Amino acid sequence: MTSAVPPPVRSEVLLLFRSLLRTSREFADYNIREYTKRRTIDAFRQNRDLSDPSAVVAAFSDGKSQLEVARRQVIVHSLYAPKVKSVMEIKH
Amino acid sequence: MASALRAALLGHIRVPIAQNLTLNGSKLSLFSAVRSMSSHGDDHLTREEVIDRVLDVVKSFPKVDPSKVSPDVHFQNDLGLDSLDNVEIVFALEEEFKLEIPDKEADKIDSCPLAIEYIYNHPMAG
């Protein structure tokens, strides 16, 4: 068991939330962008009322690793960006 | 051959500054004083536009009751949202007005009047 890590402060959680949303915006592909945004919002909302400090710490570190994954994926996906825009992005 | 001719000509022409100036992303020739490609005059949004678009964004937020939305509501106090919703709304406003709001400022925006003020005063709001 690890020694007690202090649970994240509200501002840290909100900062992680905002960082994930901002990172999602960098995806060129509409589908991945919307998925990342939706998943972030759903996950944070689901974990909103966690009371157990160790669960909070676990969720926060999970969120941070997901942020790293997203950041790497932005770069990888930009190497193979789709040439055709999704129909949802075409303004009518 | 044309490039050699051009090079020879350019060698003769004395231009004090480089031929292509890039100002505001549009190329101006040295002697053109008219900013033909800039849209400075009509660029900035009117306050009504800002208010309308901000209210639209807030009203279309799924958790918000549109009838309660007015230009002076507080997101958490009046609309019953929480801090996560606050971040979401500010993010949606960033998308609507094509802005990048720094975290420090974004943390302070927690009501319609603050959002309207910030966006109205932002030079890049589009």
Side-chain angles (χ1 to χ4, degrees):
Chain A
M1 289 294 261
T2 57
S3 58
V5 179
V9 192
R10 172 190 292 265
S11 57
E12 289 180 309
V13 174
L14 293 178
L15 191 61
L16 180 65
F17 187 52
R18 197 180 291 127
S19 304
L20 275 160
L21 289 178
R22 283 203 204 285
T23 307
S24 80
R25 205 157 47 184
E26 294 173 30
F27 279 109
D29 184 288
Y30 170 84
N31 291 312
I32 304 170
R33 190 166 65 226
E34 290 299 307
Y35 167 75
T36 313
K37 198 165 80 170
R38 207 169 47 234
R39 183 75 186 94
T40 312
I41 294 171
D42 289 347
F44 271 80
R45 216 165 278 299
Q46 199 182 355
N47 290 335
R48 197 177 74 129
D49 301 316
L50 285 179
S51 49
D52 178 21
S54 59
V56 174
V57 170
F60 187 70
S61 62
D62 188 38
K64 279 199 287 194
S65 56
Q66 291 300 317
L67 177 62
E68 294 306 309
V69 169
R71 282 186 175 150
R72 284 195 294 268
Q73 287 303 97
V74 165
I75 297 171
V76 171
H77 277 281
S78 70
L79 296 174
Y80 305 101
K83 293 199 181 65
V84 181
K85 278 196 178 292
S86 156
V87 68
M88 301 292 290
E89 291 182 316
I90 304 171
K91 294 201 191 304
H92 293 289
Chain B
M1 191 198 142
S3 59
L5 181 63
R6 186 167 170 267
L9 275 174
L10 282 178
H12 275 284
I13 297 171
R14 280 258 154 261
V15 181
I17 306 171
Q19 257 190 324
N20 282 331
L21 286 177
T22 325
L23 195 65
N24 290 341
S26 60
K27 290 198 176 170
L28 301 172
S29 78
L30 182 60
F31 300 105
S32 156
V34 175
R35 290 207 221 150
S36 54
M37 289 218 223
S38 97
S39 55
H40 255 265
D42 54 358
D43 216 20
H44 208 80
L45 300 169
T46 65
R47 202 185 180 81
E48 275 72 47
E49 257 192 320
V50 174
I51 295 178
D52 283 337
R53 284 166 71 182
V54 168
L55 291 188
D56 277 340
V57 169
V58 177
K59 282 183 198 170
S60 53
F61 200 69
K63 288 188 171 181
V64 165
D65 177 6
S67 58
K68 290 191 186 166
V69 177
S70 75
D72 46 359
V73 288
H74 192 275
F75 296 143
Q76 295 186 35
N77 298 344
D78 299 327
L79 298 176
L81 302 175
D82 68 1
S83 48
L84 285 180
D85 298 319
N86 209 331
V87 175
E88 264 191 78
I89 286 191
V90 172
F91 189 73
L93 288 171
E94 282 186 4
E95 302 230 320
E96 170 69 23
F97 290 96
K98 304 188 189 50
L99 296 175
E100 273 274 349
I101 304 180
D103 292 333
K104 272 196 178 175
E105 305 296 322
D107 282 337
K108 293 186 205 152
I109 299 178
D110 57 358
S111 64
C112 271
L114 284 178
I116 294 167
E117 272 313 306
Y118 183 86
I119 293 169
Y120 184 64
N121 292 329
H122 200 294
M124 302 281 289

